[in-house]
Amino acid sequence: MASSEPRFRLGFIAPPAVGAEQALRINEEQLLPPDVVRISVGLGISDYTTAGVEEAIGRYWSLVDELAAKGANYIILAGVPISSQLGRERVLRLLEETKRRTGITADSTNEAMIAAMQPGRITSPIGRSISARTTSSGSEIAADQACTVERGSR
């Protein structure tokens, strides 16, 4: 009998509160293998101004702790506007500190897109699975935009 326990838990920190994020969510069953689950939490961002992003990012560590407690194997800070407001240097520090504090690799939407622009950079098992699924369905660009891209140079 096959185990119903997921092989991988993808932690996802969405910009809005979780309820709003659920309404905006794409059908991940089309992208994720059946033994991978996404655990979503929300920053509860009120707006994308500097003040709004700063207020929301203040909840980041409690959300990281929540995802870690739920068994996340990987954490994504989603939202291009959030990373853009914070700046790349600050986001990279957050991601590195997340790994140092929890042992869980973290990524952001912007960093995944930067890595995806470099050929041959999709290295994670989930990224390869998404790439295989989307390429076989004729949607190669979607594979390059997968947020599970890992960077080997950080």
Side-chain angles (χ1 to χ4, degrees):
M1 180 180 220
S3 172
S4 62
E5 189 67 22
R7 168 177 58 96
F8 195 86
R9 289 179 178 86
L10 179 63
F12 191 80
I13 301 176
V18 173
E21 188 272 335
Q22 295 291 339
L24 300 172
R25 192 159 133 174
I26 62 169
N27 185 356
E28 70 217 27
E29 287 76 27
Q30 295 175 359
L31 296 176
L32 297 177
D35 57 348
V36 173
V37 296
R38 182 169 101 170
I39 306 165
S40 296
V41 294
L43 280 171
I45 194 164
S46 58
D47 61 61
Y48 290 94
T49 62
T50 301
V53 169
E54 284 300 325
E55 188 260 333
I57 206 67
R59 292 185 278 281
Y60 178 81
W61 292 113
S62 65
L63 297 174
V64 166
D65 291 342
E66 182 179 341
L67 290 171
K70 291 180 178 181
N73 303 105
Y74 197 89
I75 296 174
I76 297 170
L77 173 60
V80 170
I82 291 172
S83 289
S84 298
Q85 281 280 17
L86 295 174
R88 188 170 189 212
E89 186 176 308
R90 185 168 174 199
V91 170
L92 289 173
R93 282 195 315 263
L94 273 174
L95 301 178
E96 290 166 3
E97 181 67 10
T98 300
K99 174 74 172 178
R100 190 188 69 70
R101 285 186 185 192
T102 67
I104 301 169
T105 299
D107 206 347
S108 73
T109 303
N110 287 19
E111 289 305 306
M113 289 188 305
I114 290 166
M117 288 185 242
Q118 301 173 34
R121 299 300 289 207
I122 298 177
T123 59
S124 72
I126 292 176
R128 285 192 303 271
S129 177
I130 291 171
S131 179
R133 286 169 182 249
T134 56
T135 302
S136 68
S137 69
S139 181
E140 200 165 326
I141 291 173
D144 288 342
Q145 295 172 343
C147 291
T148 56
V149 176
E150 289 183 10
R151 291 158 313 283
S153 60
R154 251 199 337 177

